[in-house]
Amino acid sequence: MAPDRTSVQSGSEQPSHDAIDNGNPAVFKPKYFVLDDINIDLLTVIATLLSVLSFFTSYISSTKTIAVATAIILPLRVFFPRPTDPEGLVLITGGSGGIGAELSYIFANHGNDLVLVGRNEEQLENVKRNVEQKYKQKVYTITADLSLPGSAQKLYDNVTSKGLEVSVLVNNAGLGAAGDTLEQPIDIAERMTTLNCITVVQLSQLFGRDMARRGKGWMLQVSSVGGWMASPHHNIYHATKHFVRAFSESLSLELRAYPGVVNTQIMPGPTQTQWPTRADAEETVMFGMPGGQNDPKQVALAAYEGLRKRKRMVFSSWDDAISSVFMQLAPRSVHLTLAAMANSPTRGLARMPEPEKDQGKRGQKLEGRKD
Ligand SMILES: NC(=O)c1ccc[n+]([C@@H]2O[C@H](COP(=O)([O-])OP(=O)(O)OC[C@H]3O[C@@H](n4cnc5c(N)ncnc54)[C@H](OP(=O)(O)O)[C@@H]3O)[C@@H](O)[C@H]2O)c1
């Protein structure tokens, strides 16, 4: 009898390739093309384009094209599994404010209990109180600095030692720091890369293995449109988000070997949270433009919808999607010029202030917000 797919070992133990190879090859063979929601979307776009094209050419009859396209796409749409709400306990890093707090309210509203992680105990308690009063869900809080080496493993051990089983992992906590590369304090750059990259990878591995063993789970990676932009004056942060984007895209594909485990990434554009204050990015063209910032609630809703629809990647708005694709397609010199302008200080050639060592600082104008 073929060993079952729970041969992926738990948590801190290292699963060997054997553990996976010894499984039923029919289950473990990676599936490079799956007719999932994303591919159905792609087919729908192609079929629609062909139908539109058929109106302008005499070679194909438009009636026939539309009929054929409908006959192919409609059954796929109707019979393909509908979106499902993530079930079970949700762990959110950076659940004490901004996008993470908004995600907490959305998950709690859908009946999920929460584990919220952050450094600021008071803020964590605020969100916990809001959730418990309004949604009557159970909330655990864990105070941890995830920019320190080894913090992902410590968090995993802390959670599992309490007997908690995480069904949904949200890798949301992230730091930014505006300014030129050579002027960045070395320790800020190290903490940024640890929090934005290493912790994300390790938490995905640790909790992801448990999900694979159980055959069920959801992971949400909070990336950024910065993951589509090489950005002079904000180089290191954007480079970390390129990392998250690539890591998450490949992870989504690898997870097709475990059909019950989903991985989605959200690409927020500039969003009105504490992030620009902490990153000293408030004075940049990107954040200084009036009306140019997303509402964190909308970002969180887009992320939640993407996760329940099992999307590989979602954007927080059409503007963000279009600007990211444009930056991808633009010649590199145009791309770099625009990105450098977007990340430059708004007031003439003034230099960006050096990023604060204490990235826990909070912006005045956002103090009244519920998070
Ligand atoms: N806002 C934007 O414009 C924007 C755009 C694109 C992507 N993003 C990404 O969205 C994610 C959420 O950011 P946000 O906009 O909601 O910013 P935020 O308001 O500053 O929230 C960041 C959250 O991360 C937590 N955090 C920061 N450093 C931490 C650390 N060392 N250890 C543990 N937790 C830490 C913070 O909690 P404590 O303060 O309690 O530690 C806070 O809950 C980040 O990954 C960010 O890169 C933001």
Side-chain angles (χ1 to χ4, degrees):
M1 196 183 80
D4 74 4
R5 56 200 300 281
T6 58
S7 50
V8 172
Q9 294 161 11
S10 63
S12 50
E13 297 157 46
Q14 293 293 312
S16 67
H17 275 288
D18 289 344
I20 293 175
D21 295 341
N22 287 340
N24 179 349
V27 175
F28 288 111
K29 193 159 180 260
K31 296 170 185 168
Y32 293 112
F33 184 85
V34 173
L35 203 54
D36 60 6
D37 223 24
I38 296 166
N39 289 322
I40 293 179
D41 282 350
L42 196 68
L43 288 175
T44 310
V45 170
I46 293 169
T48 311
L49 282 177
L50 284 176
S51 309
V52 171
L53 212 69
S54 66
F55 279 110
F56 300 100
T57 146
S58 51
Y59 298 118
I60 333 162
S61 134
S62 53
T63 333
K64 271 189 201 150
T65 316
I66 292 171
V68 171
T70 313
I72 295 170
I73 298 299
L74 210 63
L76 291 176
R77 287 248 163 246
V78 172
F79 294 113
F80 194 76
R82 293 294 87 202
T84 42
D85 287 338
E87 298 157 7
L89 185 66
V90 184
L91 184 145
I92 304 178
T93 67
S96 56
I99 298 168
E102 296 297 345
L103 278 165
S104 311
Y105 302 137
I106 293 171
F107 277 109
N109 192 25
H110 284 86
N112 299 96
D113 288 341
L114 306 170
V115 181
L116 303 179
V117 187
R119 294 162 304 171
N120 188 318
E121 203 174 336
E122 199 187 321
Q123 282 298 125
L124 286 173
E125 287 305 316
N126 278 345
V127 180
K128 175 181 158 104
R129 220 177 5 260
N130 287 345
V131 169
E132 288 183 339
Q133 278 172 8
K134 189 157 182 203
Y135 304 107
K136 316 283 178 233
Q137 294 302 134
K138 175 94 190 121
V139 182
Y140 305 86
T141 57
I142 297 179
T143 314
D145 185 341
L146 298 174
S147 68
L148 301 175
S151 52
Q153 181 71 56
K154 269 195 198 145
L155 173 62
Y156 175 82
D157 293 343
N158 186 340
V159 170
T160 48
S161 69
K162 290 183 167 74
L164 300 174
E165 195 171 83
V166 171
S167 301
V168 186
L169 168 69
V170 181
N171 272 321
N172 163 72
L175 290 182
D180 286 2
T181 309
L182 299 188
E183 290 161 16
Q184 293 273 326
I186 298 269
D187 63 324
I188 290 274
E190 185 180 341
R191 283 174 49 190
M192 197 159 41
T193 42
T194 304
L195 179 65
N196 297 6
C197 305
I198 296 171
T199 300
V200 166
V201 171
Q202 293 181 346
L203 289 178
S204 304
Q205 288 184 295
L206 292 164
F207 288 107
R209 282 173 197 163
D210 291 346
M211 293 175 193
R213 246 181 340 106
R214 293 196 295 267
K216 200 172 188 182
W218 290 261
M219 286 189 257
L220 175 64
Q221 318 288 351
V222 180
S223 185
S224 168
V225 295
W228 295 74
M229 249 192 264
S231 291
H233 315 310
H234 212 146
N235 180 15
I236 305 172
Y237 170 74
H238 284 212
T240 66
K241 292 298 183 180
H242 275 70
F243 179 97
V244 177
R245 175 181 153 205
F247 168 73
S248 184
E249 280 187 303
S250 301
L251 179 65
S252 295
L253 195 103
E254 287 174 1
L255 285 175
R256 287 177 176 182
Y258 308 94
V261 187
V262 178
N263 180 68
T264 298
Q265 70 177 310
I266 172 83
M267 299 283 180
T271 305
Q272 210 190 10
T273 64
Q274 298 295 332
W275 188 92
T277 310
R278 291 173 165 180
D280 277 322
E282 277 177 315
E283 303 282 305
T284 54
V285 172
M286 190 186 291
F287 280 92
M289 273 190 307
Q293 291 185 35
N294 292 311
D295 178 342
K297 193 172 184 177
Q298 294 310 317
V299 176
L301 275 171
Y304 184 85
E305 274 305 300
L307 189 65
R308 65 189 285 275
K309 288 181 180 161
R310 313 169 74 85
K311 299 272 184 193
R312 199 170 48 224
M313 183 188 286
V314 276
F315 287 88
S316 49
S317 68
W318 276 102
D319 287 0
D320 296 330
I322 291 166
S323 56
S324 299
V325 173
F326 172 76
M327 289 302 256
Q328 189 78 357
L329 298 177
R332 290 313 275 180
S333 53
V334 174
H335 172 126
L336 286 167
T337 308
L338 291 176
M341 280 166 61
N343 288 290
S344 294
T346 24
R347 295 201 198 101
L349 294 173
R351 298 196 75 76
M352 297 302 305
E354 188 174 281
E356 286 275 330
K357 291 229 170 204
D358 174 18
Q359 294 242 346
K361 69 182 169 170
R362 302 183 79 79
Q364 297 291 322
K365 69 174 182 202
L366 295 174
E367 258 172 11
R369 292 180 62 88
K370 68 179 173 193
D371 59 38

